[in-house]
Amino acid sequence: MIKAGVVGGTGYTGVELLRLLAQHPQVELAAITSRAEAGTRVADMFPSLRRRVDLCFSDPASARLDECDVVFFATPNGIAMQQAPALLDAGVRVIDLAADYRITDIAEWEKWYGMRHASPECVERAVYGLPEINRAAIAGARLVANPGCYPTAVQLGLAPLVEAGVVELGSLIADAKSGVSGAGRKAEVSSLFAEASDNFKAYGVAGHRHLPEIRQGLSRLAQKPVGLTFVPHLTPLIRGIHATLYARVAREADFQALFEQRYAGEAFVDVLPPGSHPETRSVRAANLCRIAVHRPQGGDTLVVLSVIDNLVKGAAGQAVQNMNIMFGLPETDSLWQLPVLP
Amino acid sequence: MIKAGVVGGTGYTGVELLRLLAQHPQVELAAITSRAEAGTRVADMFPSLRRRVDLCFSDPASARLDECDVVFFATPNGIAMQQAPALLDAGVRVIDLAADYRITDIAEWEKWYGMRHASPECVERAVYGLPEINRAAIAGARLVANPGCYPTAVQLGLAPLVEAGVVELGSLIADAKSGVSGAGRKAEVSSLFAEASDNFKAYGVAGHRHLPEIRQGLSRLAQKPVGLTFVPHLTPLIRGIHATLYARVAREADFQALFEQRYAGEAFVDVLPPGSHPETRSVRAANLCRIAVHRPQGGDTLVVLSVIDNLVKGAAGQAVQNMNIMFGLPETDSLWQLPVLP
Amino acid sequence: MIKAGVVGGTGYTGVELLRLLAQHPQVELAAITSRAEAGTRVADMFPSLRRRVDLCFSDPASARLDECDVVFFATPNGIAMQQAPALLDAGVRVIDLAADYRITDIAEWEKWYGMRHASPECVERAVYGLPEINRAAIAGARLVANPGCYPTAVQLGLAPLVEAGVVELGSLIADAKSGVSGAGRKAEVSSLFAEASDNFKAYGVAGHRHLPEIRQGLSRLAQKPVGLTFVPHLTPLIRGIHATLYARVAREADFQALFEQRYAGEAFVDVLPPGSHPETRSVRAANLCRIAVHRPQGGDTLVVLSVIDNLVKGAAGQAVQNMNIMFGLPETDSLWQLPVLP
Amino acid sequence: MIKAGVVGGTGYTGVELLRLLAQHPQVELAAITSRAEAGTRVADMFPSLRRRVDLCFSDPASARLDECDVVFFATPNGIAMQQAPALLDAGVRVIDLAADYRITDIAEWEKWYGMRHASPECVERAVYGLPEINRAAIAGARLVANPGCYPTAVQLGLAPLVEAGVVELGSLIADAKSGVSGAGRKAEVSSLFAEASDNFKAYGVAGHRHLPEIRQGLSRLAQKPVGLTFVPHLTPLIRGIHATLYARVAREADFQALFEQRYAGEAFVDVLPPGSHPETRSVRAANLCRIAVHRPQGGDTLVVLSVIDNLVKGAAGQAVQNMNIMFGLPETDSLWQLPVLP
């Protein structure tokens, strides 16, 4: 059994990680830390876990995370970068669900995240944990930077086109819509039911932290810089991201076949038949990305539709997928549950 | 492997049953019938099942349901009563998720359901499938009448009090609230998003079909007739029932202990600590009933709060639980998934 | 024109009050105060008011509220009781939308609200502002205690029965369901979209602050103490309260006629025909209470269904109605807008 | 008083029109027709209109629509084109809220709407009723084609750029999100609460009927053909459209000023300050379009955000605005109500 620790299990990413780890056949949940909630039974905070997760939150100071095989950081940005180095030194594998190790350009990271990086020397050792693009490197990684939710949906949706070099790289557009759980379990007025329900809005049009992450990922695939306009929106879902992606055709190709071949054999990416419109609920609570590619009226603009559950394939599920790869387990362990519909 | 057939898999109860059966370690899905959708791939109708359920809906006439070990009816009322007798004769076990075999008084059934009963001779052979009350009979049953959603939440919430004879039986009140999936996957104006969202209403106050079913169940437990006022409401949830139950104290007792003892050892009924308020989302997508018992201001009126997912413990999950019992399988097979929260 | 001031206009009650006052033909909005938001343009916080409300929030210290004809307190509990006396001394009429002056028994108030009352001498001068019950007194009032949202729905629903003495007064039950705006515009985890959406729960079963207020109001009508079990629930609506009220028949009467006669001539109470089920959306954004009375299966238990918009008839609309009465204006001024459906 | 008739008042556009007309100071509602509901009281179908709209639906055959001053068609496509000619001959002004007279190219219309046009001779007499673009022509019109909901949001959002010739016209993109009321009050599975709630999806990517309408409108403004990719999405709102519009800069300009000048003096178009993100709820139930223009990271791509209430500025409100213009009334009559927030 793999001994797993979770740092910061009180947010939505944390409770989803607990849900998946508690059902994992090869994992023993060893510790869950939370400074604010030390001593509280996990199941008192999340009644969905009653009678199944019998741990209390423990104080980060006293938890023996260094005795774990793997530690997940489900913390705000800026925590993992302080604590991961010691764990790595102790031989513990680390998966950071926050953004600390996602951007390799330290200055860029510091600009977008507004703080000094505490362990820049670890950044280059970190592997970007998007398995469908980076599986081999993940298998050998000690430190995985788990991708952001928008970056997962957008990169999986554009990767086949960018890798094949069949679209113009200077004017990609990602119009993305996220459920409200993406804002986290923080007490903020803008996330209140009475604010976010029956309401739709864009936000961060001037610049969102996931923009440099997506740009970095696509530029690697293209092996040259890409230009991207990224507009995130808030939509009244609990879970789900729908990315609508626009790209100008640069070279003719069988785009449907391109996607099908690129993701053939992938357990967690499902390319839909031509003419399809994937729904966010078709991946609800499951580690899946469903994709459809369109070319409206046979014009120059391709439209790719890509959906994920932001808490699963966009966060906790992908983290477990990465763990499975790192430990040589079947990639689908604990991730094979069917979506919940309706 | 148990060969299972599903008659009428195109509604919400049907797709939920498919979700659970497809993940059951001991079940092989042999046939799913639908007259209207014969030939359609199940996964084309329900994209959540893509790549996991590879069947097409088959015509009821040609499906070899008599070769199944068990057949589930996820049909409108009035279908099972016509088809079950032949299947039973062929040695097939039958679980009816509709109401055909729930009421033992045929005249009463015909009054509430507005049709003649086609197989009244089977009614007395049918076992009412509420395992926490009726487990032994279910184990030996050939024909199980799976309870309604409201009746499950209400009976589990009142059973300890009624069995122990500690409340007045003449004036029980069940104020129940249901998510909209309870109305089924029928194209009706009243179930439209623009009608049911951001809206709350009671319905059927004059009389709802689940009233005689609940009354019959509670009267059996009390071994005398009970008086019940039952008011169902529609609330903007997809899934979930919350029953708020009111009973006057007839005899003092430790009510909390009464509930805890009654459900000790039950895998799917969770009695919460004193002072709790169970939420419907704490059982979302799981085969669970969570219950809390209150005595406000130490007065004469007990308040019991009981929540289930109407599609799982209130329908498909309970049907699988019944199947597990009928076939001697572990009762939790395929029903051990954690609730999805948030 | 009536010069109106609003203290604490940053919550949902406040913005709703601004919406109504800004459209009132006889009112000039003179000042809106907020310590936290002093200097902020009201329309920057509430974009729905852009180009129509041109005020900034002003500091409570510098606002000349004593020059207003009427001041509304849309503040948390405990503010009006400190500031109202000086305004009253200055000849300003005061309408408190919070609870400071609702309960005449000071000790009872202090127990439920957990603070010392700062102006107990004003409590007996305060008039409870439920116009359909108290209109004459409101007309002459200098200080009005605007009722709570639940108390409005429950009292209007039970008043005809209690006044007529036709139901048992010892065992009334109010099972009430509220939209999430009732919890206010406070940043609290429990009111987040991802917590409150697709979820239903009871809360405060052991005792809610509106219980003594309702009990006081009904006891006045009955001219003797009443016994009430009050269970509030949170339902995924932005606006709306649905009260389901249960009462045992003590004396036979034509209950439908009783309600129709009691509210004949009332502009804001609508008694529905027999067999009706009022929906919360049928009063959305309007100053209305719609009521239906049922006697299921001709039994001993009456069921009354009563719906309001908690922010309008349950708060800001009722406050404007009270103002209209106090100033001798047509009671429907600014309150005659039709509900928004769908 | 203007005598107004409504043909087909049983859908969401119809009830919204009734709400606005019933509150219009210069309008007398003379007749509302519905074949299916003839004889039903309007307020029995729409309880929000109880005690305020006292009409019954009348049979289209017997209603004396030719005695009205204006008749609104709130019907499915294909009805107005049959009935409008006779009314026009009788001197009645006609406003069609459906699509019959929106597209001037008859062949194009017949292709997208899948039927023969019954009164092609009227098409060229019809005035496209987008007041902010076409006000003078509307003032003199006998027959107004009220724009579609998406076309309103998209055209108002792009008009300043297209008229000024500052963007590339060949590659405009409109990524639009609509609430579910846009699908109408039709009993369809895809519009059920349990399907559309907590779900997000694109639809009609291959081609939506509003595409030719938008293209026609923008091409007129540009005085040359424009190329447009239009992707509509369904989002879990009752009301609201959010259009996110992408255009490549062709010529430098002060884009903020361009918008502000273009809509200066418009009562129903509100250009927000730089950096704003309009929310759909900020126009809920109001005849408003709010717009913000962005240029992310100072790049080549402009992003315009445009929100309306699809039932008001996108349908019934715009129809009343057109009526006001046609009859020389103040344009804001009955349209000056503040949005409902929250």
Side-chain angles (χ1 to χ4, degrees):
Chain A
M1 296 291 274
I2 296 167
K3 289 182 66 175
V6 175
V7 181
T10 63
Y12 292 137
T13 300
V15 62
E16 188 69 357
L17 193 56
L18 295 178
R19 181 175 75 93
L20 296 174
L21 293 177
Q23 299 183 97
H24 197 294
Q26 302 295 333
V27 168
E28 178 200 341
L29 258 173
I32 306 168
T33 73
S34 163
R35 189 156 302 151
E37 299 292 340
T40 303
R41 291 188 64 235
V42 171
D44 286 350
M45 173 166 275
F46 298 117
S48 56
L49 302 176
R50 268 178 64 84
R51 310 209 292 180
R52 297 290 292 281
V53 172
D54 202 28
L55 288 170
C56 291
F57 290 106
S58 54
D59 191 84
S62 60
R64 297 304 315 259
L65 295 172
D66 54 354
E67 296 176 356
C68 291
D69 298 303
V70 61
V71 168
F72 296 88
F73 283 88
T75 44
N77 300 317
I79 306 295
M81 69 183 183
Q82 294 173 1
Q83 302 180 10
L87 290 170
L88 291 168
D89 286 348
V92 180
R93 284 189 177 88
V94 170
I95 300 175
D96 179 25
L97 284 79
D100 295 9
Y101 298 110
R102 291 181 192 158
I103 308 280
T104 51
D105 180 332
I106 308 284
E108 179 88 349
W109 187 88
E110 292 183 340
K111 185 184 83 175
W112 285 93
Y113 288 90
M115 49 183 128
R116 248 187 187 268
H117 204 293
S119 52
E121 73 285 0
C122 290
V123 172
E124 65 183 28
R125 295 169 56 190
V127 173
Y128 190 69
L130 196 45
E132 290 77 11
I133 285 174
N134 234 6
R135 184 171 283 113
I138 294 164
R142 312 293 309 179
L143 170 59
V144 162
N146 211 56
C149 49
Y150 287 125
T152 297
V154 174
Q155 290 177 83
L156 291 176
L158 287 176
L161 299 174
V162 169
E163 288 173 352
V166 294
V167 293
E168 292 181 13
L169 295 174
S171 59
L172 299 170
I173 291 175
D175 187 290
K177 302 86 176 172
S178 174
V180 186
S181 65
R185 196 168 163 275
K186 291 186 296 284
E188 290 180 345
V189 167
S190 60
S191 301
L192 293 179
F193 180 90
E195 302 283 311
S197 174
D198 207 45
N199 191 28
F200 190 95
K201 65 172 179 183
Y203 67 102
V205 178
H208 183 285
R209 288 170 172 182
H210 285 174
L211 172 62
E213 181 182 341
I214 301 170
R215 215 159 40 189
Q216 168 185 283
L218 295 178
S219 296
R220 277 183 198 158
L221 296 179
Q223 298 180 291
K224 68 176 98 159
V226 305
L228 173 72
T229 300
F230 170 55
V231 179
H233 303 74
L234 202 63
T235 179
L237 312 177
I238 296 179
R239 293 159 174 256
I241 284 181
H242 185 292
T244 312
L245 308 167
Y246 300 90
R248 306 286 301 274
V249 174
R251 218 181 64 217
E252 288 301 327
D254 180 339
F255 299 107
Q256 177 74 23
L258 197 63
F259 275 80
E260 290 180 1
Q261 286 156 15
R262 176 59 179 82
Y263 292 122
E266 288 293 348
F268 300 122
V269 180
D270 177 25
V271 178
L272 301 182
S276 299
H277 301 94
E279 306 180 80
T280 56
R281 65 178 184 148
S282 77
V283 299
R284 188 190 289 139
N287 195 56
L288 280 168
C289 177
R290 298 201 204 265
I291 297 178
V293 55
H294 290 257
R295 187 177 187 169
Q297 292 95 47
D300 282 347
T301 302
L302 295 179
V303 178
V304 181
L305 312 174
S306 167
V307 300
I308 61 169
D309 181 322
N310 55 302
L311 295 181
V312 193
K313 185 62 178 163
Q318 187 141 272
V320 172
Q321 187 182 354
N322 281 320
M323 181 196 72
N324 288 342
I325 295 171
M326 292 163 85
F327 286 86
L329 303 172
E331 202 164 321
T332 55
D333 265 10
S334 175
L335 300 173
W336 207 225
Q337 298 186 8
L338 280 163
V340 174
L341 176 158
Chain B
M1 297 290 276
I2 296 166
K3 288 183 68 177
V6 175
V7 181
T10 63
Y12 292 137
T13 299
V15 62
E16 188 68 357
L17 194 55
L18 296 178
R19 181 174 76 93
L20 296 173
L21 293 177
Q23 300 183 96
H24 197 294
Q26 303 294 335
V27 168
E28 178 200 342
L29 258 174
I32 307 168
T33 73
S34 164
R35 189 156 304 149
E37 300 290 341
T40 302
R41 291 189 64 236
V42 171
D44 285 351
M45 173 165 275
F46 298 118
S48 56
L49 302 176
R50 270 178 62 85
R51 311 209 292 181
R52 298 290 291 282
V53 172
D54 202 29
L55 289 169
C56 291
F57 291 105
S58 56
D59 192 83
S62 60
R64 298 305 315 260
L65 294 171
D66 54 354
E67 297 176 356
C68 290
D69 298 302
V70 61
V71 168
F72 296 88
F73 283 87
T75 43
N77 300 316
I79 306 295
M81 67 182 185
Q82 296 173 359
Q83 302 180 11
L87 290 169
L88 291 167
D89 287 349
V92 180
R93 285 190 177 88
V94 171
I95 300 175
D96 179 24
L97 284 80
D100 295 10
Y101 297 110
R102 291 182 194 158
I103 309 280
T104 51
D105 179 332
I106 307 285
E108 178 88 347
W109 187 89
E110 293 183 340
K111 185 184 84 177
W112 286 92
Y113 288 90
M115 49 182 129
R116 256 200 172 261
H117 204 293
S119 51
E121 72 286 359
C122 290
V123 171
E124 63 183 30
R125 296 170 53 191
V127 173
Y128 189 67
L130 195 46
E132 289 77 12
I133 285 173
N134 235 6
R135 184 171 284 114
I138 294 164
R142 312 293 308 179
L143 170 60
V144 163
N146 211 55
C149 48
Y150 287 125
T152 297
V154 174
Q155 290 177 85
L156 291 177
L158 288 175
L161 300 174
V162 169
E163 288 172 352
V166 294
V167 294
E168 291 182 13
L169 295 174
S171 59
L172 300 169
I173 291 175
D175 187 291
K177 302 86 175 172
S178 174
V180 187
S181 66
R185 196 168 162 276
K186 293 186 295 284
E188 290 180 345
V189 168
S190 61
S191 302
L192 293 179
F193 180 89
E195 301 283 312
S197 174
D198 207 45
N199 191 27
F200 190 95
K201 66 172 177 182
Y203 67 102
V205 177
H208 183 284
R209 288 168 171 182
H210 285 175
L211 171 63
E213 181 182 341
I214 300 170
R215 217 160 37 190
Q216 168 185 282
L218 294 178
S219 297
R220 277 182 198 159
L221 295 180
Q223 299 181 289
K224 70 176 96 162
V226 305
L228 174 72
T229 301
F230 171 53
V231 178
H233 302 76
L234 202 62
T235 178
L237 311 176
I238 297 179
R239 294 159 173 256
I241 283 182
H242 185 293
T244 311
L245 308 167
Y246 300 89
R248 306 286 301 271
V249 173
R251 216 181 65 216
E252 288 302 327
D254 180 338
F255 301 108
Q256 177 72 24
L258 197 65
F259 276 80
E260 290 180 2
Q261 287 155 16
R262 176 59 180 82
Y263 292 123
E266 288 293 349
F268 300 123
V269 179
D270 177 25
V271 178
L272 300 183
S276 299
H277 301 95
E279 306 181 80
T280 56
R281 64 178 184 148
S282 77
V283 300
R284 187 189 288 138
N287 194 57
L288 280 168
C289 177
R290 298 200 204 264
I291 297 178
V293 57
H294 290 257
R295 186 176 189 169
Q297 293 96 47
D300 281 348
T301 303
L302 295 179
V303 178
V304 181
L305 313 173
S306 167
V307 300
I308 60 169
D309 181 322
N310 57 303
L311 296 180
V312 193
K313 186 60 180 163
Q318 189 142 270
V320 171
Q321 186 182 355
N322 282 320
M323 180 195 74
N324 288 342
I325 295 170
M326 293 163 85
F327 286 87
L329 302 173
E331 202 164 321
T332 55
D333 266 9
S334 175
L335 299 174
W336 206 226
Q337 296 186 11
L338 281 164
V340 174
L341 177 159
Chain C
M1 297 290 275
I2 296 166
K3 289 182 66 175
V6 176
V7 181
T10 63
Y12 292 136
T13 300
V15 63
E16 188 69 356
L17 193 56
L18 295 178
R19 181 174 77 93
L20 296 173
L21 293 177
Q23 300 183 96
H24 196 294
Q26 303 295 335
V27 168
E28 178 200 341
L29 256 173
I32 307 168
T33 72
S34 164
R35 188 156 304 150
E37 298 291 339
T40 303
R41 291 189 65 237
V42 171
D44 285 351
M45 173 165 273
F46 297 117
S48 56
L49 302 176
R50 269 178 62 85
R51 311 209 292 179
R52 297 290 291 282
V53 172
D54 203 28
L55 288 169
C56 292
F57 291 105
S58 56
D59 191 83
S62 61
R64 298 303 317 257
L65 294 172
D66 54 355
E67 297 175 357
C68 290
D69 298 303
V70 62
V71 168
F72 296 87
F73 284 88
T75 43
N77 299 317
I79 306 295
M81 69 182 183
Q82 296 173 1
Q83 302 181 10
L87 291 169
L88 291 167
D89 286 348
V92 181
R93 284 189 178 89
V94 171
I95 300 175
D96 179 24
L97 284 81
D100 296 9
Y101 297 110
R102 291 180 193 158
I103 308 281
T104 51
D105 180 333
I106 308 283
E108 178 89 348
W109 188 89
E110 293 183 339
K111 184 184 85 177
W112 286 93
Y113 288 89
M115 50 184 127
R116 260 204 166 260
H117 204 293
S119 52
E121 73 286 358
C122 290
V123 172
E124 64 183 30
R125 297 169 54 191
V127 173
Y128 190 68
L130 194 47
E132 290 77 12
I133 285 174
N134 235 5
R135 184 172 283 113
I138 294 165
R142 312 292 310 177
L143 170 59
V144 163
N146 211 57
C149 49
Y150 286 125
T152 296
V154 174
Q155 290 177 83
L156 291 176
L158 288 176
L161 300 174
V162 169
E163 288 172 352
V166 295
V167 294
E168 293 181 11
L169 295 175
S171 59
L172 300 170
I173 291 175
D175 188 290
K177 301 87 177 172
S178 173
V180 187
S181 66
R185 196 169 162 275
K186 290 186 297 285
E188 290 180 345
V189 167
S190 60
S191 301
L192 293 178
F193 180 89
E195 302 284 312
S197 174
D198 208 44
N199 191 28
F200 190 95
K201 65 172 178 183
Y203 67 102
V205 177
H208 183 284
R209 288 169 170 182
H210 285 175
L211 171 63
E213 180 182 342
I214 301 170
R215 216 160 38 188
Q216 167 185 282
L218 294 178
S219 296
R220 278 181 198 159
L221 296 179
Q223 299 181 290
K224 69 176 98 158
V226 305
L228 174 71
T229 301
F230 171 54
V231 179
H233 303 74
L234 201 64
T235 177
L237 312 175
I238 295 179
R239 293 158 174 259
I241 284 181
H242 185 291
T244 311
L245 308 166
Y246 300 88
R248 307 286 302 273
V249 174
R251 217 181 65 215
E252 287 302 326
D254 180 339
F255 300 107
Q256 176 73 24
L258 196 65
F259 275 80
E260 289 180 2
Q261 287 156 15
R262 176 59 180 81
Y263 293 121
E266 289 293 348
F268 301 123
V269 180
D270 178 24
V271 178
L272 301 183
S276 299
H277 301 94
E279 306 180 80
T280 57
R281 64 178 185 148
S282 77
V283 298
R284 189 190 288 140
N287 195 57
L288 281 168
C289 177
R290 299 201 204 265
I291 297 177
V293 56
H294 291 257
R295 186 176 189 170
Q297 292 96 46
D300 282 347
T301 302
L302 295 179
V303 178
V304 181
L305 312 173
S306 168
V307 300
I308 60 169
D309 182 322
N310 56 303
L311 295 181
V312 193
K313 186 61 178 163
Q318 187 142 271
V320 171
Q321 187 181 355
N322 281 320
M323 181 196 72
N324 288 342
I325 295 171
M326 293 163 86
F327 287 85
L329 303 173
E331 201 165 321
T332 55
D333 265 8
S334 174
L335 299 175
W336 208 225
Q337 296 186 10
L338 281 163
V340 174
L341 176 160
Chain D
M1 296 293 275
I2 296 167
K3 288 182 66 175
V6 176
V7 181
T10 63
Y12 292 136
T13 300
V15 63
E16 188 69 356
L17 193 56
L18 296 178
R19 181 174 77 93
L20 296 173
L21 294 176
Q23 300 183 97
H24 197 294
Q26 302 295 335
V27 168
E28 178 200 342
L29 257 174
I32 307 168
T33 72
S34 163
R35 188 155 304 147
E37 299 291 341
T40 302
R41 292 189 62 236
V42 171
D44 285 351
M45 172 166 275
F46 298 117
S48 56
L49 302 175
R50 269 178 63 86
R51 311 208 292 178
R52 297 289 292 282
V53 172
D54 202 27
L55 289 169
C56 291
F57 291 105
S58 56
D59 192 83
S62 61
R64 296 305 315 260
L65 294 172
D66 54 354
E67 297 175 357
C68 290
D69 298 303
V70 61
V71 167
F72 296 87
F73 283 87
T75 43
N77 300 317
I79 305 296
M81 68 181 184
Q82 295 173 359
Q83 303 181 10
L87 290 170
L88 291 168
D89 287 349
V92 180
R93 286 189 177 88
V94 171
I95 300 176
D96 179 24
L97 284 80
D100 295 10
Y101 297 110
R102 292 181 192 157
I103 308 279
T104 51
D105 180 334
I106 307 283
E108 178 87 349
W109 188 90
E110 293 183 339
K111 184 184 84 177
W112 285 93
Y113 288 89
M115 49 183 128
R116 253 196 176 263
H117 204 293
S119 52
E121 72 286 358
C122 291
V123 172
E124 64 183 30
R125 296 170 53 191
V127 173
Y128 189 69
L130 195 48
E132 290 76 11
I133 284 173
N134 235 6
R135 184 171 283 111
I138 295 164
R142 312 294 308 179
L143 171 59
V144 163
N146 211 56
C149 48
Y150 287 125
T152 297
V154 174
Q155 289 178 84
L156 291 177
L158 288 175
L161 300 174
V162 169
E163 289 173 351
V166 294
V167 293
E168 292 182 12
L169 296 174
S171 58
L172 300 169
I173 291 174
D175 187 289
K177 301 86 176 173
S178 174
V180 186
S181 66
R185 197 168 161 276
K186 291 187 297 284
E188 290 180 345
V189 168
S190 61
S191 301
L192 294 178
F193 180 89
E195 301 284 311
S197 174
D198 207 45
N199 191 26
F200 190 96
K201 66 171 178 183
Y203 66 102
V205 177
H208 183 284
R209 288 168 170 183
H210 285 174
L211 172 63
E213 181 181 342
I214 301 170
R215 217 160 37 190
Q216 168 185 282
L218 294 178
S219 297
R220 279 182 197 158
L221 295 179
Q223 299 180 291
K224 69 176 99 160
V226 306
L228 174 71
T229 301
F230 171 54
V231 178
H233 304 74
L234 202 63
T235 177
L237 311 176
I238 296 179
R239 295 158 172 257
I241 284 181
H242 185 292
T244 311
L245 309 167
Y246 300 89
R248 305 287 301 272
V249 174
R251 217 180 65 214
E252 288 302 327
D254 180 338
F255 300 107
Q256 177 73 24
L258 197 65
F259 275 80
E260 289 180 3
Q261 287 156 16
R262 176 60 180 82
Y263 292 122
E266 288 293 348
F268 300 122
V269 180
D270 177 24
V271 178
L272 301 182
S276 299
H277 301 95
E279 306 181 80
T280 56
R281 65 178 184 150
S282 76
V283 299
R284 188 190 287 139
N287 195 55
L288 281 168
C289 178
R290 299 201 204 264
I291 297 177
V293 56
H294 290 257
R295 186 176 188 170
Q297 293 96 47
D300 281 347
T301 302
L302 295 178
V303 178
V304 181
L305 312 174
S306 168
V307 300
I308 61 170
D309 182 322
N310 57 303
L311 295 180
V312 193
K313 185 61 179 162
Q318 189 143 269
V320 171
Q321 186 182 355
N322 282 320
M323 180 195 73
N324 287 342
I325 295 170
M326 293 163 86
F327 286 86
L329 302 173
E331 202 165 320
T332 56
D333 266 9
S334 175
L335 299 174
W336 206 225
Q337 296 186 10
L338 280 164
V340 174
L341 175 157

